[in-house]
Amino acid sequence: MEGHDKAYLKAALAEAKKGLQTGGIPIGSVLVHQGDIIGRGHNKRVQQQSVTLHGEMDALENAGRQPATVYRHSVLYTTLSPCPMCTGAILLYGIPKVVIGENTNFMGAEEHLRANGVEVVVVNDAECIRMMQDFIKSEPHLWHEDIGEEN
């Protein structure tokens, strides 16, 4: 992973930590356009009682309205593999590249992204993996509620 990718993933990780510190699910994301972070977000489903504010959706929301060309020249960094809803937003806005912190705790719709021409880079960052493993272990009810799975 290149140096700038590490810095942006670190920013997404900082967002995930904000989510955890405020009682939510530790998933963070940043949207980067031409080297600038234009949107930051973290999962706020618990904090705002929202069914849609996943980390990626929050980053897109916080980027505000953008021309289509901005999205088509942006990269989305996220600490966890994007779910189908977030994948749909990535495809809707034509974001060409997604850098994923980890997909060992949850495999999202990565193949759907690839099948639609999105470059997908999976880092499997140790801190992202550990943070999500710890969360799933300590808050299984929140995890299963958010992701819709039960063991």
Side-chain angles (χ1 to χ4, degrees):
M1 182 167 64
E2 297 178 30
H4 62 277
D5 282 337
K6 286 182 183 179
Y8 299 132
L9 186 58
K10 187 175 180 180
L13 191 55
E15 285 294 322
K17 289 175 182 177
K18 280 184 193 175
L20 185 61
Q21 291 165 355
T22 58
I25 297 164
I27 303 168
S29 185
V30 295
L31 183 64
V32 177
H33 178 255
Q34 297 181 342
D36 292 323
I37 296 175
I38 62 171
R40 297 173 183 267
H42 55 274
N43 188 303
K44 294 179 180 167
R45 200 183 55 75
V46 174
Q47 301 92 320
Q48 294 189 14
Q49 301 296 303
S50 171
V51 298
T52 58
L53 277 181
H54 287 192
E56 300 90 341
M57 302 298 279
D58 192 40
L60 288 167
E61 179 70 19
N62 290 328
R65 289 180 57 198
Q66 300 292 331
T69 55
V70 169
Y71 298 113
R72 291 189 182 117
H73 293 95
S74 293
V75 179
L76 185 75
Y77 293 80
T78 182
T79 58
L80 188 66
S81 186
C83 75
M85 176 183 66
C86 296
T87 293
I90 292 162
L91 295 175
L92 176 68
Y93 290 106
I95 298 169
K97 181 177 178 181
V98 178
V99 177
I100 298 169
E102 70 109 337
N103 66 2
T104 59
N105 287 295
F106 174 75
M107 174 62 73
E110 293 174 25
E111 287 307 315
H112 190 57
L113 288 169
R114 287 184 185 101
N116 284 278
V118 176
E119 180 184 355
V120 176
V121 177
V122 180
V123 177
N124 278 328
D125 176 81
E127 189 173 3
C128 289
I129 293 168
R130 186 174 46 256
M131 182 175 55
M132 189 53 63
Q133 282 175 337
D134 291 347
F135 177 78
I136 292 169
K137 186 177 180 180
S138 67
E139 301 287 348
H141 60 289
L142 283 180
W143 171 250
H144 295 306
E145 178 186 312
D146 188 49
I147 216 62
E149 297 178 358
E150 291 183 344
N151 292 338

